Amino acid sequence: MEDMSGNRVIVVGASAGGVEALRQLVAGLPEDLTAAVAVVLHVPRAAPSALPRILSRSGALPAAVASDGDSLRPGRIYVAPTDHHLLVTEGRARVTRGPTENGHRPAVDPLFRSAARAYGPRAIGVVLSGSRDDGAAGLAAICRAGGTTLIQDPDDALHPSMPRAAATHTTPDHVLPAHAMGALLAKLARTPVRGESPADPLRDAEVQMAAMAPITSDELPGRPAGLGCPSCGGALWQLEAEPVLRFRCRVGHAWSPETLLEEQAIAVEGALWTALRALEEKSALSRRLADSAAARGRELVRERYRSAADEAEQAGVVLRQIIERGDAIPDGTPSAAL
């Protein structure tokens, strides 16, 4: 096997608008790049990814979907498979179906944490265009491990939320447009660095969780959050000793505050639609019963049913107004207060 102990690894995360940013980044990478590149792009779980073909045509480096156990070779691009996390160990790729993070699998944070754990100062993390804030916690882990951090200039990104969120929690070493990243990454890959990743029990446990190790969140440093997991309904644990506030349920589903708030808003809207349906059904049934009572000459009963129907309709009007205004849905703008 090729000895990878002295090489660096470049890990890249992107979401909405990320394909174009990835194409520009890859176009600037030289054929003799001295680092392996691992990429996570948020994609639908059921659809095969065309990203390896796109990236292979965009630059000099070959790109392929990563397989579990692949040797990480310099000058190669490894793309996370659909519905699987991509992790890196020293010189190897790991592909797992660990718990989702921020509703995603693959997700950026597990890849970045694994790079911080395995490569420490030799890890280079890149956050590109995307919505929400996946990648912010992972880039912070690379920073704490002594690695190098880059973000796409938010003004250059089609969707600036991910780069902005990363910059909120970590001071990146470099902020630049996607088209300028390739040359800088090639230079960084040639720059020798020494040192090991400092101890970080929380990071290491979360990497093991993503690799489907039998670890539960109650073994992590933290405290009960008093909130429910949108994925499984389990109780969430608020993680401590972490600059980016995050939550995990017992089986490992992870959420940032912003994404958790948006998922809760989706659940609230669903509950409002369910309540509206129930009110309209109650109104319709009450009016049928009122008509039946009227046909039998039972006026007091008819009035009671008509009153129930009117009350249900009035409540339905209020719910429709709330749904139409979108009061339950946040604006999705990352907040420095998180």
Side-chain angles (χ1 to χ4, degrees):
M1 291 192 312
E2 187 174 358
D3 180 11
M4 298 293 297
S5 61
N7 285 324
R8 306 190 72 172
V9 67
I10 299 170
V11 289
V12 185
S15 185
V19 173
E20 180 58 29
L22 282 165
R23 289 180 67 251
Q24 293 181 34
L25 183 155
V26 166
L29 294 174
E31 189 175 4
D32 60 350
L33 182 72
T34 57
V37 182
V39 175
V40 163
L41 175 71
H42 296 159
V43 292
R45 295 187 193 177
S49 175
L51 187 61
R53 293 195 302 274
I54 294 171
L55 298 185
S56 293
R57 294 170 182 171
S58 299
L61 304 186
V65 174
S67 297
D68 192 42
D70 277 349
S71 176
L72 295 178
R73 300 172 62 85
R76 302 286 182 90
I77 301 173
Y78 301 83
V79 177
T82 56
D83 200 25
H84 289 76
H85 290 311
L86 173 60
L87 312 177
V88 293
T89 62
E90 182 67 69
R92 292 280 174 182
R94 285 293 319 276
V95 173
T96 78
R97 295 197 75 249
T100 60
E101 296 215 17
N102 289 320
H104 297 295
R105 190 172 57 219
V108 179
D109 284 332
L111 171 61
F112 282 17
R113 284 192 209 101
S114 68
R117 182 192 190 199
Y119 286 81
R122 293 177 290 129
I124 303 171
V126 183
V127 173
L128 299 177
S129 173
S131 57
R132 294 188 176 181
D133 58 358
D134 193 24
L139 200 70
I142 290 176
C143 180
R144 292 196 303 275
T148 306
T149 56
L150 291 76
I151 67 167
Q152 183 179 5
D153 186 339
D155 292 336
D156 180 62
L158 290 174
H159 294 266
S161 294
M162 273 179 51
R164 284 178 178 164
T168 296
H169 300 293
T170 301
T171 301
D173 296 309
H174 305 278
V175 179
L176 65 169
H179 68 81
M181 286 184 169
L184 176 60
L185 289 171
K187 179 180 178 181
L188 292 172
R190 293 192 301 268
T191 304
V193 291
R194 295 183 179 274
E196 299 296 327
S197 175
D200 189 335
L202 174 58
R203 176 203 64 200
D204 295 349
E206 290 192 279
V207 172
Q208 291 178 290
M209 240 180 205
M212 291 299 289
I215 298 175
T216 57
S217 291
D218 56 0
E219 300 174 52
L220 306 180
R223 57 187 175 83
L227 302 169
C229 175
S231 290
C232 66
L236 286 174
W237 196 253
Q238 182 173 320
L239 300 181
E240 305 292 351
E242 172 66 46
V244 184
L245 177 62
R246 291 181 302 111
F247 305 90
R248 276 192 186 271
C249 70
R250 181 177 182 84
V251 296
H253 297 121
W255 301 93
S256 69
E258 178 191 345
T259 305
L260 179 60
L261 183 62
E262 291 189 15
E263 291 295 325
Q264 288 176 332
I266 292 171
V268 168
E269 184 180 359
L272 290 174
W273 282 109
T274 300
L276 179 60
R277 171 192 51 81
L279 287 169
E280 292 189 346
E281 290 176 351
K282 178 181 179 181
S283 175
L285 179 59
S286 295
R287 294 205 181 280
R288 290 183 188 179
L289 293 174
D291 292 342
S292 176
R296 296 195 302 272
R298 303 177 63 184
E299 289 300 317
L300 290 178
V301 175
R302 179 180 72 94
E303 287 304 316
R304 188 171 73 248
Y305 283 129
R306 286 186 61 182
S307 177
D310 290 342
E311 290 177 359
E313 285 184 359
Q314 291 171 7
V317 169
V318 174
L319 282 184
R320 284 186 179 277
Q321 291 172 347
I322 294 173
I323 293 171
E324 185 176 8
R325 289 197 306 266
D327 289 351
I329 306 300
D331 63 12
T333 302
S335 171
L338 297 181

